Amino acid sequence: MYKADKTIYNFKNFISVLLIVISFKGSAQEKDTTKLMNVSYGSKGIELQTRDNKFLFQLQSRLQFRFSTPYDADPLTYDDYSQDAQTTFKINRARLKIGGHAFEPWLKYYWEYELSQSNLLDFRIMIEKWDWLSFKAGQWKTEFTRERFISSGEQQMVERSLINRPFTVDRQLGVEVYGHLKGSGIADFNYWFAALTGTGRGSTANDDGKLMYFGRAQWNFLGRFLDFEGCDLEFHEKPTPIIAFSAITNRSPYTRFSQAGGGSLDGYENGLPGQYRVNQWNLETAFMYRGFSWQSEWHTKEIIDKLNNDDTTTLKGYYVQAGYFFHNVFEWWPKHLEMAGRHAAYRPDNSIRQNRQDESTLAFNWFFKGHKNKLTSEVSYFTFQDKTLPLEQGWRFRIQWDISL
């Protein structure tokens, strides 16, 4: 039996036992149970909550079905454009999420498991007693980029942009302090500061004595916080913009991170402990108002090879993205249909200006029940420029159904 099958089998057994215990207690002590526990279905799935709100247990699963042609993953190299067509249909994500709070409403917990790959993605404890000062410990996606931090189930497109792969810091293990400084008017800020292992998901130890350090400052300059999600489904009645700046420094054997953990960008190999010093910066904007949404990121990344005379490569990249529910201006446009567009560009070595990769994507979202049940279709156009090679270009079509249960 495969590991993922064992995980699903064990989970089913756990749920079965849990339901039997609840049913037995309910039949034996029906009056006491109804006094102590509320059972409901909310925005985060099945919820079991004590009457005194001391304990909350939330259980949710999510499935993502995807069809793509002539390929699914973004083309990364020149040869990727000449690969044979591989039309795919797959379960792209199968997630199990458990969260809530224990003992006090401000002592929160959350963990997330990827069933299809048998990966423990997130596990964290949060102390959120005060808005201005909170603490977190565990493993989670760092808040370095808005695009990456937004859940894959609440994205505006089928998938994240071309620049996500080279610039994401993804999931790390560590501790963080964060908060919301609610000043009046323009004096409204959010902040995040973290010390992390810097060796990626599933790695509990650092490769040397140097940690990853991360910071993010977000200015809510009209005094309104904008949550991490794509699309203006809430239909913000007031303009809600943010500007954020994030920075990370790390020294490790890796030049990139992903859900799989630490890895290497093209042209690099996994190094020795502490071989690569990586410094990254990101300037970010986002805005929502009456069905319109906007977000953008501008990235710079330095990779310094400390074992080879501090040889330094600078990477640059950006994307801009916008979406709108056109029913707000055209009555004939379906109310639940959103149109969105994105353009992304990436330079793997900024000193070679002729080398550049671009992505342009047009997407349509049909929301059956918000992000919890939606259908997304998109068409993308890619170009690959290299000063030593002819221009390459290609199209891709994808359609995806994302449903949370």
Side-chain angles (χ1 to χ4, degrees), residues 302-330:
E302 285 183 348
I303 301 176
I304 305 169
D305 191 339
K306 303 300 290 186
L307 301 185
N308 289 287
N309 301 315
D310 284 351
D311 184 43
T312 302
T313 303
T314 301
L315 296 69
K316 295 274 190 177
Y318 74 88
Y319 80 85
V320 292
Q321 179 175 312
Y324 189 57
F325 290 89
F326 282 94
H327 178 77
N328 297 324
V329 292
F330 304 115

Side-chain angles (χ1 to χ4, degrees), residues 26 102 110-111 114 183 236-237 322:
Y110 179 83
W111 65 269
E114 174 56 60
H236 289 72
E237 291 290 352

Side-chain angles (χ1 to χ4, degrees), residues 89-107:
F89 178 77
K90 62 181 181 179
I91 297 178
N92 192 58
R93 292 179 175 93
R95 300 284 172 85
L96 175 67
K97 304 178 181 182
I98 290 179
H101 61 252
F103 306 106
E104 297 290 346
W106 45 264
L107 183 57

Side-chain angles (χ1 to χ4, degrees), residues 127-378:
I127 300 174
E128 297 183 343
K129 188 173 184 179
W130 310 283
D131 288 339
W132 62 276
L133 182 64
S134 297
F135 303 93
K136 176 162 55 180
Q139 178 176 278
W140 69 93
K141 284 189 293 187
T142 58
E143 296 85 352
F144 179 63
T145 73
R146 181 177 184 84
E147 180 181 45
R148 181 58 181 157
F149 192 75
I150 290 175
S151 168
S152 57
E154 296 183 344
Q155 296 175 144
Q156 196 164 40
M157 306 295 193
V158 167
E159 195 53 86
R160 299 175 178 97
S161 72
L162 178 74
I163 69 167
N164 176 68
R165 184 178 188 271
F167 294 108
T168 182
V169 183
D170 211 81
R171 291 174 170 88
Q172 302 287 341
L173 186 69
V175 294
E176 184 176 74
V177 57
Y178 57 102
H180 187 183
L181 306 177
K182 298 181 180 180
S184 59
I186 64 173
D188 192 300
F189 295 87
N190 285 84
Y191 70 90
W192 295 260
F193 296 106
L196 309 156
T197 59
T199 46
R201 185 201 63 80
S203 180
T204 59
N206 198 4
D207 59 303
D208 55 19
K210 301 176 177 64
L211 295 175
M212 171 187 283
Y213 295 100
F214 156 70
R216 173 186 172 95
Q218 178 174 302
W219 184 23
N220 313 308
F221 57 88
L222 291 186
R224 291 180 283 274
F225 175 76
L226 188 61
D227 206 355
F228 287 93
E229 63 179 358
C231 317
D232 186 17
L233 288 172
E234 297 178 14
F235 199 79
H236 289 72
E237 291 290 352
K238 296 181 179 180
T240 307
I242 63 101
I243 296 175
F245 178 78
S246 304
I248 278 182
T249 185
N250 186 39
R251 190 165 173 178
S252 75
Y254 309 116
T255 54
R256 65 174 292 262
F257 293 99
S258 68
Q259 182 180 306
S264 298
L265 290 170
D266 296 327
Y268 295 88
E269 296 181 355
N270 283 356
L272 299 172
Q275 178 169 354
Y276 298 111
R277 164 66 68 183
V278 176
N279 301 316
Q280 294 184 235
W281 303 269
N282 171 34
L283 178 63
E284 181 182 293
T285 67
F287 173 78
M288 289 189 184
Y289 178 56
R290 297 181 64 83
F292 175 79
S293 60
W294 159 274
Q295 61 186 60
S296 68
E297 296 173 10
W298 285 267
H299 288 269
T300 299
K301 180 174 183 176
E302 285 183 348
I303 301 176
I304 305 169
D305 191 339
K306 303 300 290 186
L307 301 185
N308 289 287
N309 301 315
D310 284 351
D311 184 43
T312 302
T313 303
T314 301
L315 296 69
K316 295 274 190 177
Y318 74 88
Y319 80 85
V320 292
Q321 179 175 312
Y324 189 57
F325 290 89
F326 282 94
H327 178 77
N328 297 324
V329 292
F330 304 115
E331 290 187 2
W332 52 267
W333 186 275
K335 183 177 181 180
H336 301 289
L337 180 64
E338 180 198 38
M339 184 170 74
R342 177 177 69 207
H343 179 73
Y346 168 53
R347 282 195 171 93
D349 186 342
N350 198 52
S351 66
I352 308 175
R353 303 292 291 177
Q354 301 95 321
N355 290 5
R356 173 174 165 142
Q357 300 174 37
D358 287 84
E359 171 220 338
S360 297
T361 296
L362 179 67
F364 293 88
N365 290 303
W366 187 280
F367 296 94
F368 300 102
K369 188 67 176 178
H371 285 296
K372 302 303 180 185
N373 187 0
K374 69 177 180 181
L375 189 67
T376 303
S377 63
E378 69 173 28

